[in-house]
Amino acid sequence: AKYRAFGCGAARIDDAMNLIPARLTALLICGAATLNGRGGAALGAMMRDGRHHASPNAGWPEAAMAGAINVWLAGPRRYGNRIRQARRFNEGGSEADAGAIRDSLRVLIMAQLLIALLILHSLMILIYLLNRIHLINRMHLLNRMHLQNRIHLLNRKTHQNRNNNLDQKTNIKKKNNMDGVAVREGGGG
């Protein structure tokens, strides 16, 4: 009793951290059970029995597996001299035997393949989206570079036109000055 409070905080943190993973695992078991035609039974057992476990998380995948392989799990348990009364999951199922262990391993392998496919699919979508974002950013960059080049060319052209105008004005002034000198020279003699 002295150390009971010490482990209580850790247990509550564990319960909180496994809230979503336990339910996700149960759903994966239901998905894998669909391949052997027992997906509905697994989902039904999970929804009906999952919350009746002493642990807030362990009952969900356990009940899903009971429905997936059509055996009853949980129920009364013996701990030393004590018997703990608990509800059976998938009560209408048969008693577990060596065949049920093989069946549960098959369901678990299928659930693992299912999560691997989901992760792979999610990664492919993420890569696609990142490539799209990169492509869009690259297009914006190219458009910005193109616009900057156009502005640069327009500035250069404007500068050249200004220089040409100045050169023309200078040439006209020189010509006028030369014509004036020629008129003065021609008229004075």
Side-chain angles (χ1 to χ4, degrees):
K2 178 179 168 182
Y3 298 106
R4 185 180 184 113
F6 181 72
C8 188
R12 295 297 154 244
I13 291 171
D14 179 68
D15 290 343
M17 296 297 287
N18 286 303
L19 191 74
I20 293 172
R23 284 145 184 84
L24 179 62
T25 300
L27 289 173
L28 287 167
I29 290 170
C30 293
T34 302
L35 299 174
N36 67 7
R38 299 224 21 107
L43 186 63
M46 179 190 77
M47 297 303 290
R48 180 181 60 248
D49 301 329
R51 65 181 170 273
H52 296 290
H53 197 280
S55 162
N57 296 321
W60 298 94
E62 191 175 337
M65 184 59 79
I69 60 176
N70 197 26
V71 297
W72 64 265
L73 295 175
R77 290 183 280 286
R78 181 179 296 274
Y79 294 102
N81 296 352
R82 295 180 15 228
I83 293 179
R84 177 158 187 239
Q85 293 299 324
R87 182 176 174 162
R88 287 185 178 182
F89 295 165
N90 195 42
E91 194 163 5
S94 58
E95 195 162 320
D97 58 8
I101 294 171
R102 281 190 302 275
D103 291 343
S104 69
L105 291 174
R106 282 190 204 103
V107 170
L108 286 177
I109 289 170
M110 294 310 296
Q112 290 169 348
L113 289 173
L114 186 59
I115 190 68
L117 287 173
L118 287 171
I119 289 171
L120 181 63
H121 183 67
S122 298
L123 285 174
M124 289 173 60
I125 289 172
L126 180 64
I127 290 169
Y128 171 78
L129 292 173
L130 288 174
N131 281 335
R132 293 288 296 173
I133 290 169
H134 177 71
L135 180 63
I136 290 168
N137 286 340
R138 189 164 172 90
M139 287 173 49
H140 285 297
L141 179 64
L142 290 173
N143 285 340
R144 195 174 14 215
M145 288 171 53
H146 178 71
L147 183 61
Q148 287 172 346
N149 285 342
R150 300 254 319 171
I151 290 169
H152 178 69
L153 287 174
L154 286 172
N155 286 340
R156 213 159 113 196
K157 210 173 219 181
T158 304
H159 186 66
Q160 284 174 346
N161 287 343
R162 194 175 304 138
N163 285 343
N164 288 343
N165 288 341
L166 287 174
D167 287 346
Q168 286 175 351
K169 287 179 183 178
T170 304
N171 288 339
I172 291 171
K173 281 183 179 179
K174 282 182 185 178
K175 187 176 178 209
N176 288 340
N177 286 343
M178 290 174 84
D179 286 343
V181 170
V183 170
R184 275 185 256 151
E185 286 178 6

